[in-house]
Amino acid sequence: MKFYKAAVVGAGAMGSGIAQVLSQAGLQVVLKDIEAGYVEKGLANIKRMYDSRVKKEVLTQAEADSHFAKIKGTTGFDGFDEVDLVIEAALEQIEVKLKVFQELDKICPAHAILATNTSALSVSEIASATKRPDKVVGMHFFNPAHVMKLVEVIPGVKTSEETVNAAIDLCRTMQKNPVKVEECPGFLVNRLLFPYLNEALYVLQEGKHGPEEIDKAAVDFGLPMGPLTLLDMTGVDVCFHVNQFLSAQYGLRFKTSPLLQKLVDNGFLGQKSGAGIYQHTPGKIYGKDEKRELNPSLAKLLSEIKIDSGSSSKGGVFDVYRIILPMFNEAVYALQEKVVAVNDVDMAMADGTGLKRGLLSLAKEKSLSFCYDRLIEYSNSHGERFHPAWYLGKLANAQIHDFSELAPAPVASVH
Ligand SMILES: NC(=O)c1ccc[n+]([C@@H]2O[C@H](COP(=O)([O-])OP(=O)(O)OC[C@H]3O[C@@H](n4cnc5c(N)ncnc54)[C@H](O)[C@@H]3O)[C@@H](O)[C@H]2O)c1
Protein backbone atom coordinates (compact mmCIF):
# COMPACT_ATOMS: atom_id res chain seq x y z
CA MET A 1 0.00 0.00 0.00
CA LYS A 2 1.32 3.45 -0.85
CA PHE A 3 0.90 6.16 1.77
CA TYR A 4 0.60 9.78 0.61
CA LYS A 5 -1.11 11.52 3.50
CA ALA A 6 -1.16 10.73 7.20
CA ALA A 7 -2.65 12.21 10.34
CA VAL A 8 -1.16 12.12 13.82
CA VAL A 9 -3.53 12.52 16.79
CA GLY A 10 -1.78 14.04 19.83
CA ALA A 11 1.03 16.58 19.35
CA GLY A 12 2.91 15.69 22.55
CA ALA A 13 6.32 14.07 23.00
CA MET A 14 5.55 11.02 20.83
CA GLY A 15 3.11 12.57 18.34
CA SER A 16 5.50 15.35 17.36
CA GLY A 17 8.36 12.88 16.83
CA ILE A 18 6.14 10.61 14.73
CA ALA A 19 4.91 13.55 12.62
CA GLN A 20 8.52 14.58 12.01
CA VAL A 21 9.49 11.11 10.81
CA LEU A 22 6.41 10.82 8.56
CA SER A 23 7.07 14.21 6.96
CA GLN A 24 10.74 13.43 6.39
CA ALA A 25 9.63 10.19 4.68
CA GLY A 26 7.75 12.37 2.18
CA LEU A 27 4.15 12.15 3.48
CA GLN A 28 1.78 15.07 3.92
CA VAL A 29 0.89 15.18 7.62
CA VAL A 30 -2.01 16.61 9.62
CA LEU A 31 -1.09 17.03 13.29
CA LYS A 32 -4.07 17.24 15.65
CA ASP A 33 -4.39 18.10 19.31
CA ILE A 34 -7.23 19.35 21.51
CA GLU A 35 -5.98 22.95 21.93
CA ALA A 36 -4.15 25.33 19.58
CA GLY A 37 -1.42 25.86 22.18
CA TYR A 38 -0.59 22.12 22.19
CA VAL A 39 -0.51 22.04 18.38
CA GLU A 40 1.87 25.04 18.32
CA LYS A 41 4.09 23.43 20.93
CA GLY A 42 4.20 20.22 18.87
CA LEU A 43 5.09 22.13 15.70
CA ALA A 44 7.82 24.08 17.53
CA ASN A 45 9.20 20.76 18.76
CA ILE A 46 9.30 19.40 15.21
CA LYS A 47 10.99 22.59 13.99
CA ARG A 48 13.72 21.99 16.61
CA MET A 49 14.16 18.39 15.38
CA TYR A 50 14.64 19.66 11.82
CA ASP A 51 17.02 22.45 12.97
CA SER A 52 19.12 19.83 14.72
CA ARG A 53 19.24 17.70 11.54
CA VAL A 54 20.42 20.75 9.58
CA LYS A 55 23.03 21.52 12.24
CA LYS A 56 24.31 17.95 12.07
CA GLU A 57 24.35 18.24 8.25
CA VAL A 58 21.96 15.32 7.85
CA LEU A 59 19.63 17.61 5.84
CA THR A 60 20.13 20.92 4.02
CA GLN A 61 18.09 23.90 5.19
CA ALA A 62 16.03 23.72 1.98
CA GLU A 63 15.24 20.02 2.53
CA ALA A 64 14.29 20.64 6.17
CA ASP A 65 12.04 23.58 5.19
CA SER A 66 10.33 21.55 2.50
CA HIS A 67 9.67 18.58 4.85
CA PHE A 68 8.46 20.84 7.66
CA ALA A 69 6.07 22.58 5.27
CA LYS A 70 4.30 19.23 4.72
CA ILE A 71 2.90 19.33 8.28
CA LYS A 72 -0.34 21.19 8.97
CA GLY A 73 -1.57 21.64 12.53
CA THR A 74 -5.25 21.47 13.50
CA THR A 75 -7.58 21.14 16.45
CA GLY A 76 -10.36 19.83 14.21
CA PHE A 77 -10.51 17.12 11.59
CA ASP A 78 -9.42 19.17 8.57
CA GLY A 79 -7.86 16.90 5.99
CA PHE A 80 -8.74 13.65 7.82
CA ASP A 81 -11.14 12.74 4.98
CA GLU A 82 -8.12 12.35 2.65
CA VAL A 83 -5.66 10.37 4.79
CA ASP A 84 -4.31 6.89 4.05
CA LEU A 85 -3.25 6.38 7.65
CA VAL A 86 -3.66 7.80 11.15
CA ILE A 87 -1.22 7.24 14.00
CA GLU A 88 -2.83 8.00 17.35
CA ALA A 89 -0.51 9.20 20.12
CA ALA A 90 -2.99 10.78 22.55
CA LEU A 91 -3.24 10.03 26.27
CA GLU A 92 -2.74 6.49 27.55
CA GLN A 93 -6.34 6.14 28.73
CA ILE A 94 -8.67 3.59 27.22
CA GLU A 95 -11.71 5.94 27.26
CA VAL A 96 -9.72 8.58 25.33
CA LYS A 97 -8.49 6.06 22.75
CA LEU A 98 -11.93 4.47 22.26
CA LYS A 99 -13.49 7.89 21.64
CA VAL A 100 -10.70 8.95 19.25
CA PHE A 101 -10.98 5.70 17.23
CA GLN A 102 -14.77 6.00 17.06
CA GLU A 103 -14.40 9.50 15.62
CA LEU A 104 -11.60 8.48 13.24
CA ASP A 105 -13.66 5.58 11.93
CA LYS A 106 -16.47 7.97 10.95
CA ILE A 107 -14.27 10.63 9.36
CA CYS A 108 -11.40 8.80 7.64
CA PRO A 109 -11.72 7.15 4.20
CA ALA A 110 -12.68 3.46 4.22
CA HIS A 111 -9.21 2.38 3.04
CA ALA A 112 -7.32 4.25 5.81
CA ILE A 113 -5.33 2.28 8.37
CA LEU A 114 -5.78 3.42 11.97
CA ALA A 115 -2.71 2.78 14.13
CA THR A 116 -2.25 3.32 17.86
CA ASN A 117 1.01 4.08 19.61
CA THR A 118 -0.33 2.72 22.89
CA SER A 119 2.36 1.46 25.31
CA ALA A 120 0.18 -1.04 27.12
CA LEU A 121 -3.50 -0.89 26.23
CA SER A 122 -5.16 -3.59 24.15
CA VAL A 123 -4.99 -3.00 20.39
CA SER A 124 -7.92 -5.43 20.01
CA GLU A 125 -10.06 -3.42 22.43
CA ILE A 126 -9.19 -0.12 20.71
CA ALA A 127 -10.08 -1.72 17.35
CA SER A 128 -13.50 -2.70 18.74
CA ALA A 129 -14.48 0.99 18.74
CA THR A 130 -14.41 0.95 14.92
CA LYS A 131 -16.22 -0.83 12.11
CA ARG A 132 -12.83 -1.66 10.55
CA PRO A 133 -10.97 -3.73 13.17
CA ASP A 134 -9.10 -5.43 10.31
CA LYS A 135 -7.47 -2.06 9.57
CA VAL A 136 -6.47 -1.23 13.16
CA VAL A 137 -2.94 -2.05 14.29
CA GLY A 138 -0.49 -1.16 17.07
CA MET A 139 2.60 0.79 16.01
CA HIS A 140 4.64 1.17 19.18
CA PHE A 141 7.40 3.75 18.71
CA PHE A 142 10.15 4.32 21.25
CA ASN A 143 11.04 7.61 22.87
CA PRO A 144 12.37 9.83 21.28
CA ALA A 145 10.34 8.68 18.29
CA HIS A 146 12.33 10.72 15.76
CA VAL A 147 15.56 9.00 16.88
CA MET A 148 14.83 5.46 18.06
CA LYS A 149 14.86 2.91 15.24
CA LEU A 150 12.50 0.27 16.61
CA VAL A 151 8.76 0.12 16.00
CA GLU A 152 6.83 -2.84 17.42
CA VAL A 153 4.01 -3.69 15.02
CA ILE A 154 1.18 -5.32 16.96
CA PRO A 155 -1.83 -6.93 15.32
CA GLY A 156 -5.08 -7.08 17.27
CA VAL A 157 -7.25 -10.21 17.07
CA LYS A 158 -9.01 -8.99 13.93
CA THR A 159 -6.15 -7.15 12.20
CA SER A 160 -5.61 -8.39 8.64
CA GLU A 161 -2.26 -9.60 7.36
CA GLU A 162 -2.50 -6.89 4.70
CA THR A 163 -2.68 -4.17 7.39
CA VAL A 164 0.28 -5.65 9.28
CA ASN A 165 2.33 -5.77 6.08
CA ALA A 166 1.35 -2.20 5.20
CA ALA A 167 2.44 -1.01 8.68
CA ILE A 168 5.73 -2.86 8.26
CA ASP A 169 6.28 -1.27 4.83
CA LEU A 170 5.53 2.14 6.27
CA CYS A 171 8.12 1.61 9.01
CA ARG A 172 10.70 0.85 6.35
CA THR A 173 9.71 3.98 4.40
CA MET A 174 10.34 5.93 7.63
CA GLN A 175 13.71 4.15 7.92
CA LYS A 176 12.59 2.41 11.08
CA ASN A 177 13.15 -1.23 11.97
CA PRO A 178 9.81 -2.99 12.47
CA VAL A 179 9.36 -6.08 14.61
CA LYS A 180 6.06 -7.94 14.59
CA VAL A 181 4.96 -8.72 18.13
CA GLU A 182 1.81 -10.65 19.01
CA GLU A 183 -0.41 -8.74 21.41
CA CYS A 184 0.62 -9.35 25.02
CA PRO A 185 1.11 -7.16 28.10
CA GLY A 186 4.21 -4.96 27.66
CA PHE A 187 4.59 -6.15 24.06
CA LEU A 188 8.25 -7.19 23.73
CA VAL A 189 10.81 -4.61 24.84
CA ASN A 190 9.04 -3.31 27.95
CA ARG A 191 8.09 -6.84 28.93
CA LEU A 192 11.78 -7.83 28.88
CA LEU A 193 13.12 -4.64 30.41
CA PHE A 194 10.97 -4.60 33.56
CA PRO A 195 12.20 -7.80 35.24
CA TYR A 196 15.70 -6.35 34.85
CA LEU A 197 14.81 -2.91 36.29
CA ASN A 198 12.84 -4.45 39.12
CA GLU A 199 15.62 -6.92 39.99
CA ALA A 200 18.19 -4.10 40.19
CA LEU A 201 16.01 -2.61 42.95
CA TYR A 202 15.81 -5.94 44.79
CA VAL A 203 19.63 -6.13 44.69
CA LEU A 204 19.93 -2.58 45.97
CA GLN A 205 17.57 -3.16 48.87
CA GLU A 206 19.64 -6.16 50.02
CA GLY A 207 22.34 -3.64 50.85
CA LYS A 208 25.36 -5.48 49.48
CA HIS A 209 25.82 -3.43 46.32
CA GLY A 210 25.39 0.29 45.77
CA PRO A 211 23.57 2.01 42.88
CA GLU A 212 26.74 2.99 41.03
CA GLU A 213 28.16 -0.53 41.23
CA ILE A 214 24.92 -2.01 39.84
CA ASP A 215 24.68 0.59 37.09
CA LYS A 216 28.32 0.20 36.11
CA ALA A 217 27.99 -3.59 35.84
CA ALA A 218 25.05 -3.16 33.43
CA VAL A 219 26.99 -0.66 31.31
CA ASP A 220 30.00 -2.98 31.26
CA PHE A 221 27.65 -5.75 30.11
CA GLY A 222 26.58 -3.63 27.11
CA LEU A 223 23.60 -1.48 28.14
CA PRO A 224 23.88 2.23 27.28
CA MET A 225 23.06 3.17 30.91
CA GLY A 226 22.47 1.32 34.16
CA PRO A 227 18.96 0.26 35.30
CA LEU A 228 18.84 2.72 38.19
CA THR A 229 19.87 5.64 36.00
CA LEU A 230 17.21 4.55 33.49
CA LEU A 231 14.63 4.34 36.28
CA ASP A 232 15.32 7.94 37.34
CA MET A 233 15.27 9.12 33.76
CA THR A 234 12.03 7.38 32.80
CA GLY A 235 10.26 8.42 36.00
CA VAL A 236 9.98 6.22 39.09
CA ASP A 237 6.18 6.60 39.12
CA VAL A 238 5.86 5.64 35.44
CA CYS A 239 7.99 2.53 36.06
CA PHE A 240 5.98 1.69 39.16
CA HIS A 241 2.67 1.82 37.25
CA VAL A 242 4.02 -0.24 34.34
CA ASN A 243 5.48 -2.82 36.71
CA GLN A 244 2.23 -3.05 38.68
CA PHE A 245 0.37 -3.65 35.41
CA LEU A 246 2.82 -6.34 34.27
CA SER A 247 2.76 -7.93 37.71
CA ALA A 248 -1.06 -8.11 37.59
CA GLN A 249 -0.85 -9.78 34.17
CA TYR A 250 2.13 -12.12 34.56
CA GLY A 251 2.23 -12.67 38.32
CA LEU A 252 5.27 -13.46 40.44
CA ARG A 253 8.01 -12.82 37.87
CA PHE A 254 7.13 -9.13 37.99
CA LYS A 255 6.47 -8.83 41.74
CA THR A 256 7.14 -5.14 42.41
CA SER A 257 10.17 -4.52 44.59
CA PRO A 258 9.30 -2.85 47.92
CA LEU A 259 11.91 -0.18 47.20
CA LEU A 260 10.05 0.94 44.04
CA GLN A 261 6.87 1.34 46.09
CA LYS A 262 8.78 3.21 48.81
CA LEU A 263 10.35 5.66 46.35
CA VAL A 264 6.93 6.49 44.89
CA ASP A 265 5.29 6.82 48.32
CA ASN A 266 7.97 9.32 49.34
CA GLY A 267 7.70 11.38 46.14
CA PHE A 268 11.15 10.43 44.83
CA LEU A 269 10.12 10.22 41.20
CA GLY A 270 13.55 10.54 39.60
CA GLN A 271 14.92 13.36 37.45
CA LYS A 272 11.59 15.19 37.20
CA SER A 273 11.23 15.56 40.99
CA GLY A 274 14.92 16.30 41.68
CA ALA A 275 15.66 12.92 43.31
CA GLY A 276 15.07 9.22 42.81
CA ILE A 277 17.90 6.78 43.39
CA TYR A 278 20.25 9.63 42.57
CA GLN A 279 20.09 13.33 43.34
CA HIS A 280 19.49 15.49 40.24
CA THR A 281 20.53 19.07 39.63
CA PRO A 282 18.53 20.67 36.78
CA GLY A 283 20.69 21.06 33.67
CA LYS A 284 23.60 19.01 35.04
CA ILE A 285 24.75 16.22 32.74
CA TYR A 286 27.13 13.72 34.29
CA GLY A 287 30.23 12.52 32.42
CA LYS A 288 30.66 8.77 31.90
CA ASP A 289 33.03 8.26 34.85
CA GLU A 290 31.89 11.15 36.99
CA LYS A 291 30.79 10.27 40.53
CA ARG A 292 27.03 10.60 40.93
CA GLU A 293 25.40 12.02 44.01
CA LEU A 294 22.96 9.64 45.70
CA ASN A 295 19.58 10.70 47.00
CA PRO A 296 20.47 11.57 50.65
CA SER A 297 17.25 9.91 51.85
CA LEU A 298 18.04 6.59 50.13
CA ALA A 299 19.85 5.06 53.11
CA LYS A 300 16.88 5.81 55.37
CA LEU A 301 14.41 4.32 52.88
CA LEU A 302 16.53 1.19 52.59
CA SER A 303 16.77 0.83 56.35
CA GLU A 304 12.96 0.86 56.54
CA ILE A 305 12.64 -2.14 54.21
CA LYS A 306 12.92 -5.64 55.58
CA ILE A 307 15.91 -7.06 53.78
CA ASP A 308 16.06 -10.60 52.51
CA SER A 309 19.47 -10.99 50.96
CA GLY A 310 19.03 -14.69 50.09
CA SER A 311 21.12 -17.50 51.46
CA SER A 312 23.45 -17.86 48.51
CA SER A 313 24.10 -14.15 48.02
CA LYS A 314 27.86 -13.79 47.80
CA GLY A 315 28.47 -10.07 48.29
CA GLY A 316 31.89 -9.18 46.82
CA VAL A 317 31.81 -8.36 43.14
CA PHE A 318 28.29 -7.79 41.84
CA ASP A 319 27.01 -10.69 39.73
CA VAL A 320 25.48 -8.93 36.70
CA TYR A 321 23.62 -12.09 35.61
CA ARG A 322 21.33 -11.58 38.56
CA ILE A 323 19.73 -8.66 36.63
CA ILE A 324 20.41 -9.85 33.06
CA LEU A 325 19.01 -13.38 33.35
CA PRO A 326 15.49 -12.25 34.36
CA MET A 327 15.43 -10.31 31.06
CA PHE A 328 16.76 -13.35 29.18
CA ASN A 329 14.25 -15.63 30.88
CA GLU A 330 11.38 -13.31 29.92
CA ALA A 331 12.60 -13.43 26.30
CA VAL A 332 12.37 -17.22 26.46
CA TYR A 333 8.83 -16.99 27.91
CA ALA A 334 7.95 -14.73 24.96
CA LEU A 335 9.39 -17.30 22.53
CA GLN A 336 7.51 -20.06 24.34
CA GLU A 337 4.30 -18.10 23.79
CA LYS A 338 5.25 -17.47 20.13
CA VAL A 339 4.93 -13.74 20.70
CA VAL A 340 7.96 -12.93 18.56
CA ALA A 341 10.29 -14.57 16.06
CA VAL A 342 13.53 -15.86 17.55
CA ASN A 343 15.55 -13.84 15.03
CA ASP A 344 13.88 -10.58 16.03
CA VAL A 345 14.59 -10.57 19.78
CA ASP A 346 18.20 -9.37 19.72
CA MET A 347 17.50 -6.76 17.07
CA ALA A 348 14.48 -5.42 18.98
CA MET A 349 16.50 -5.15 22.20
CA ALA A 350 19.38 -3.46 20.38
CA ASP A 351 17.11 -0.91 18.67
CA GLY A 352 14.67 -0.47 21.56
CA THR A 353 17.13 -0.27 24.48
CA GLY A 354 20.58 0.24 22.92
CA LEU A 355 21.84 -3.13 24.24
CA LYS A 356 25.13 -3.58 22.43
CA ARG A 357 25.22 -7.37 22.47
CA GLY A 358 22.61 -9.94 21.66
CA LEU A 359 20.40 -10.98 24.58
CA LEU A 360 19.64 -14.43 23.19
CA SER A 361 23.27 -14.69 22.07
CA LEU A 362 23.99 -15.13 25.77
CA ALA A 363 22.94 -18.74 25.21
CA LYS A 364 25.75 -19.18 22.71
CA GLU A 365 28.32 -17.34 24.85
CA LYS A 366 27.53 -19.00 28.19
CA SER A 367 25.44 -22.06 27.15
CA LEU A 368 21.75 -22.57 27.76
CA SER A 369 22.36 -24.87 30.68
CA PHE A 370 24.41 -22.12 32.38
CA CYS A 371 21.40 -19.78 32.03
CA TYR A 372 18.98 -22.46 33.23
CA ASP A 373 21.12 -23.55 36.20
CA ARG A 374 21.73 -19.98 37.31
CA LEU A 375 18.02 -19.21 37.22
CA ILE A 376 17.32 -22.28 39.34
CA GLU A 377 20.02 -21.15 41.77
CA TYR A 378 18.54 -17.63 42.02
CA SER A 379 15.09 -19.11 42.32
CA ASN A 380 16.25 -21.18 45.33
CA SER A 381 18.04 -18.27 46.99
CA HIS A 382 15.88 -15.28 46.05
CA GLY A 383 12.44 -16.56 45.15
CA GLU A 384 10.05 -17.85 42.56
CA ARG A 385 10.34 -14.76 40.35
CA PHE A 386 13.42 -16.42 38.79
CA HIS A 387 11.57 -19.59 37.84
CA PRO A 388 12.98 -20.53 34.42
CA ALA A 389 10.67 -20.75 31.43
CA TRP A 390 9.63 -24.32 30.70
CA TYR A 391 10.91 -23.85 27.16
CA LEU A 392 14.39 -22.99 28.47
CA GLY A 393 14.58 -26.30 30.35
CA LYS A 394 13.33 -28.15 27.30
CA LEU A 395 16.01 -26.62 25.06
CA ALA A 396 18.77 -27.12 27.61
CA ASN A 397 17.78 -30.79 28.02
CA ALA A 398 17.73 -31.17 24.24
CA GLN A 399 21.37 -30.04 24.19
CA ILE A 400 20.51 -26.94 22.19
CA HIS A 401 23.35 -24.50 22.65
CA ASP A 402 22.31 -21.62 20.50
CA PHE A 403 18.92 -20.19 19.50
CA SER A 404 20.10 -19.95 15.90
CA GLU A 405 19.87 -23.79 15.86
CA LEU A 406 16.12 -23.43 16.13
CA ALA A 407 14.35 -23.59 12.81
CA PRO A 408 11.88 -22.66 11.60
CA ALA A 409 11.31 -19.51 13.70
CA PRO A 410 8.06 -19.66 15.74
CA VAL A 411 6.55 -16.61 13.98
CA ALA A 412 7.44 -15.56 10.43
CA SER A 413 10.19 -12.97 10.77
CA VAL A 414 9.57 -9.63 9.11
CA HIS A 415 13.22 -9.30 8.10
N1 LIG B 1 6.45 8.89 26.26
C1 LIG B 1 6.89 7.68 25.97
O1 LIG B 1 8.02 7.28 26.33
C2 LIG B 1 6.04 6.76 25.13
C3 LIG B 1 6.65 5.72 24.42
C4 LIG B 1 5.86 4.89 23.61
C5 LIG B 1 4.48 5.09 23.55
N2 LIG B 1 3.92 6.12 24.29
C6 LIG B 1 2.47 6.31 24.17
O2 LIG B 1 2.22 7.37 23.26
C7 LIG B 1 1.03 8.07 23.66
C8 LIG B 1 1.36 9.54 23.84
O3 LIG B 1 2.35 9.66 24.83
P1 LIG B 1 3.17 11.04 25.00
O4 LIG B 1 4.30 10.71 25.90
O5 LIG B 1 3.41 11.67 23.69
O6 LIG B 1 2.10 11.91 25.82
P2 LIG B 1 2.02 13.49 25.91
O7 LIG B 1 1.24 13.77 27.15
O8 LIG B 1 3.33 14.13 25.71
O9 LIG B 1 1.10 13.89 24.64
C9 LIG B 1 -0.23 13.50 24.51
C10 LIG B 1 -0.95 14.59 23.72
O10 LIG B 1 -2.22 14.12 23.32
C11 LIG B 1 -3.13 15.19 23.41
N3 LIG B 1 -4.49 14.65 23.45
C12 LIG B 1 -5.17 14.15 24.50
N4 LIG B 1 -6.41 13.78 24.12
C13 LIG B 1 -6.51 14.04 22.79
C14 LIG B 1 -7.54 13.90 21.82
N5 LIG B 1 -8.73 13.41 22.15
N6 LIG B 1 -7.29 14.29 20.56
C15 LIG B 1 -6.09 14.80 20.22
N7 LIG B 1 -5.07 14.99 21.09
C16 LIG B 1 -5.29 14.60 22.35
C17 LIG B 1 -2.69 15.92 24.66
O11 LIG B 1 -3.22 17.25 24.68
C18 LIG B 1 -1.18 15.86 24.53
O12 LIG B 1 -0.67 16.99 23.83
C19 LIG B 1 0.51 7.36 24.90
O13 LIG B 1 -0.43 6.38 24.52
C20 LIG B 1 1.77 6.70 25.45
O14 LIG B 1 1.50 5.59 26.25
C21 LIG B 1 4.66 6.95 25.05
Side-chain angles (χ1 to χ4, degrees):
M1 176 174 176
K2 188 95 182 97
F3 295 98
Y4 297 98
K5 184 163 181 173
V8 176
V9 177
M14 296 304 287
S16 54
I18 294 168
Q20 190 280 326
V21 177
L22 285 166
S23 65
Q24 192 173 329
L27 280 82
Q28 300 290 327
V29 181
V30 189
L31 179 61
K32 172 181 164 60
D33 208 301
I34 43 174
E35 282 182 24
Y38 296 141
V39 176
E40 278 156 29
K41 205 171 150 202
L43 288 170
N45 229 342
I46 299 171
K47 178 82 176 54
R48 272 194 296 277
M49 293 169 200
Y50 273 122
D51 287 347
S52 150
R53 280 177 194 209
V54 171
K55 208 167 156 199
K56 289 182 185 150
E57 300 184 356
V58 176
L59 293 174
T60 65
Q61 187 64 56
E63 285 167 338
D65 290 347
S66 136
H67 293 317
F68 185 61
K70 293 188 190 108
I71 309 172
K72 302 275 175 276
T74 182
T75 52
F77 285 101
D78 326 62
F80 276 67
D81 55 346
E82 293 173 348
V83 296
D84 305 302
L85 160 94
V86 182
I87 301 181
E88 170 277 321
L91 300 185
E92 187 72 352
Q93 289 168 13
I94 193 67
E95 317 79 59
V96 172
K97 306 240 191 247
L98 291 176
K99 185 160 181 285
V100 166
F101 273 75
Q102 219 171 27
E103 288 170 338
L104 292 174
D105 192 36
K106 284 190 197 131
I107 291 154
C108 298
H111 76 276
I113 288 178
L114 308 180
T116 173
N117 182 43
T118 180
S119 309
L121 299 171
S122 162
V123 175
S124 304
E125 185 177 356
I126 294 170
S128 75
T130 73
K131 294 195 173 74
R132 61 179 96 185
D134 58 314
K135 291 196 166 62
V136 177
V137 66
M139 288 181 76
H140 185 222
F141 290 72
F142 287 71
N143 194 6
H146 65 295
V147 176
M148 297 296 280
K149 283 282 174 204
L150 181 66
V151 179
E152 294 176 332
V153 175
I154 304 126
V157 279
K158 291 190 177 168
T159 311
S160 70
E161 206 50 42
E162 200 185 343
T163 300
V164 172
N165 290 335
I168 286 168
D169 284 348
L170 176 70
C171 290
R172 297 213 172 103
T173 308
M174 293 187 290
Q175 313 218 325
K176 298 288 186 193
N177 295 335
V179 164
K180 184 181 167 194
V181 181
E182 295 303 321
E183 194 175 2
C184 67
F187 308 137
L188 183 70
V189 171
N190 286 337
R191 174 174 172 180
L192 269 53
L193 207 53
F194 272 82
Y196 151 84
L197 285 181
N198 199 32
E199 196 54 34
L201 290 160
Y202 274 108
V203 174
L204 183 59
Q205 79 187 34
E206 287 166 10
K208 292 188 175 169
H209 305 283
E212 288 179 301
E213 188 186 1
I214 297 167
D215 274 354
K216 183 174 179 314
V219 172
D220 290 347
F221 181 83
L223 272 309
M225 70 179 79
L228 302 170
T229 301
L230 180 62
L231 177 81
D232 273 11
M233 214 174 117
T234 310
V236 176
D237 52 339
V238 173
C239 291
F240 174 75
H241 291 303
V242 175
N243 203 78
Q244 288 288 85
F245 165 70
L246 293 172
S247 163
Q249 302 304 320
Y250 292 113
L252 265 183
R253 298 200 300 279
F254 286 81
K255 191 173 173 212
T256 303
S257 82
L259 179 54
L260 190 52
Q261 172 88 61
K262 201 123 205 109
L263 286 163
V264 173
D265 291 348
N266 285 274
F268 294 124
L269 307 184
Q271 237 165 48
K272 63 183 166 194
S273 74
I277 297 292
Y278 297 100
Q279 188 73 13
H280 300 277
T281 314
K284 166 115 178 102
I285 296 165
Y286 284 85
K288 198 166 163 278
D289 297 316
E290 199 174 339
K291 183 123 183 79
R292 309 280 306 273
E293 234 180 284
L294 293 184
N295 176 350
S297 303
L298 186 63
K300 183 171 173 288
L301 296 188
L302 288 171
S303 72
E304 289 166 5
I305 299 170
K306 185 178 170 293
I307 293 170
D308 171 15
S309 60
S311 55
S312 78
S313 188
K314 299 180 186 86
V317 178
F318 171 54
D319 166 23
V320 74
Y321 292 107
R322 167 91 186 270
I323 56 175
I324 298 295
L325 281 176
M327 180 157 60
F328 174 87
N329 195 30
E330 200 55 40
V332 182
Y333 273 105
L335 290 178
Q336 177 178 307
E337 292 165 20
K338 301 191 190 321
V339 159
V340 66
V342 70
N343 301 333
D344 285 345
V345 174
D346 286 359
M347 193 277 278
M349 291 309 280
D351 287 343
T353 71
L355 180 59
K356 293 189 192 76
R357 61 200 262 200
L359 181 64
L360 290 183
S361 310
L362 203 59
K364 191 174 183 182
E365 286 170 36
K366 305 292 289 183
S367 90
L368 268 187
S369 44
F370 164 88
C371 299
Y372 181 79
D373 293 346
R374 269 294 172 91
L375 282 163
I376 293 281
E377 230 179 79
Y378 296 140
S379 164
N380 290 335
S381 55
H382 296 286
E384 271 294 286
R385 64 185 183 276
F386 288 98
H387 188 74
W390 169 83
Y391 190 48
L392 180 56
K394 168 175 139 166
L395 296 178
N397 290 336
Q399 304 293 314
I400 301 284
H401 301 295
D402 178 5
F403 282 95
S404 63
E405 289 176 47
L406 297 178
V411 177
S413 170
V414 295
H415 298 291

